[in-house]
Amino acid sequence: MYVLPAELRHALAEELESHREQDLAASAAELTARYHRPFDRPALRSATDVAAYAAVRMPATFAAVRFALAEAASAVPDFAPESQLDVGGGTGAAVWAAADCWPSLREIAVLERDRSAAQLGRSLAAQAEHPAVRRAEWRQAEVGSGPAGAPVDLVTLSYVLGELPEAVREPLVRRLAEEAGMLVIVEPGSPDGYERVLAARDVLIGLGLRVAAPCPHEGRCPLAEGDWCHFAARLPRDSLHRRLKAGSLGFEDEKFSYVAATRAGAAPPEARVLRHPAKRKGLVTLALCAGGGREERNVSKRDGALYRAARDVEWGEAWPPM
Ligand SMILES: C[S@@+](CC[C@H](N)C(=O)[O-])C[C@H]1O[C@@H](n2cnc3c(N)ncnc32)[C@H](O)[C@@H]1O
């Protein structure tokens, strides 16, 4: 379970107190509806929308990005980025996630077109313990397919591709790949989000980058038509989050698709767990993506330590554990 850092939770709670709960709830419901339709105009349209986004979406996008970064980090254990560019940073979920994963970060820049999102992101980041998050530079700017900028160790593009016009996506991915030591793209775990990730993955492999995660290979995605590669990150819901979402559970599972690609050598796992493992007495069945394609593997009590590892492994993790 990836939980927002304590200082972010406190800063967010303080910020949300300046909004009426019924306004936040109305914005949260509107945002859900907008994110389920194709984009014809920006989803964030007011400071209340931005606050509602931070309350109900930021904990989820943080959890998804943090999960993706953990998997990328274990495939490239020597990677210790000092600089990050977060494109379409919103209220900063990927900045907090990156600093949590890689304390080595020293310089962070965020590009965000919405003024209220950039303002809230900056003001939350000012409360961070990590100096690079606290000092992050927030630029209110529209990203497009302009020329590459200065090289940067880590570029994150989290829940943004789907908001961009189709014609801009590929040139932007190309440009960011030119700038980045590692590029991490996260999208909602829907068939459409997966399609966008898959298209970006093709571009990155074509440019000679190595896939660090989630794929254990650089061949064609072996999932059958109608299936899509996605994972789930569990996050806690506090009482305001539950009320704004009209939900009663104390947690939610954020579904996401992602790709992390790097210019450095990567040592991806032998296989990746594609579904919740089926755990029965004495037997665990794993749905895996492996070098040779998609396969089901049974691990039984007779397999000793491997069986104990199979009982612990979760959807989205490497197999066998790295
Ligand atoms: C769904 S939010 C994701 C925010 C954040 N990355 C996260 O993971 O929580 C998408 C963000 O991308 C920003 N965005 C969309 N198109 C953009 C563009 N062309 N240039 C800059 N920012 C953009 C939006 O304003 C919004 O804040």
Side-chain angles (χ1 to χ4, degrees), residues 13-28:
E14 224 171 277
E15 163 65 29
L16 295 174
E17 274 172 18
S18 65
H19 295 266
R20 293 191 325 164
E21 193 170 316
Q22 68 215 68
D23 296 339
L24 290 173
S27 274

Side-chain angles (χ1 to χ4, degrees), residues 35 44 53 61 88-90 93 112-114 141-143 158-160 163-164:
Y35 283 125
L44 301 176
Y53 182 90
T61 59
E112 168 53 50
R113 76 170 167 204
D114 182 86
E142 184 88 23
V143 292
S158 148
Y159 291 81
V160 179
E163 294 204 8
L164 301 175

Side-chain angles (χ1 to χ4, degrees), residues 24-150:
L24 290 173
S27 274
E30 261 302 308
L31 285 177
T32 304
R34 286 177 204 151
Y35 283 125
H36 282 95
R37 290 195 295 263
F39 278 84
D40 49 358
R41 38 187 295 233
L44 301 176
R45 298 177 192 166
S46 67
T48 314
D49 285 352
V50 169
Y53 182 90
V56 299
R57 291 298 301 146
M58 190 181 181
T61 59
F62 170 87
V65 177
R66 185 65 187 81
F67 191 116
L69 298 184
E71 297 306 315
S74 55
V76 193
D78 294 337
F79 184 61
E82 295 195 353
S83 55
Q84 179 190 10
L85 174 66
D86 185 29
V87 177
T91 49
V95 165
W96 288 84
D100 194 43
C101 184
W102 287 296
S104 54
L105 281 167
R106 291 152 63 94
E107 240 179 81
I108 298 175
V110 186
L111 293 184
E112 168 53 50
R113 76 170 167 204
D114 182 86
R115 182 203 299 252
S116 302
Q119 272 171 354
L120 179 54
R122 186 186 294 116
S123 112
L124 295 173
Q127 305 304 316
E129 273 174 22
H130 194 298
V133 177
R134 222 169 37 239
R135 288 195 310 259
E137 184 197 344
W138 292 76
R139 301 183 205 142
Q140 195 201 334
E142 184 88 23
V143 292
S145 47

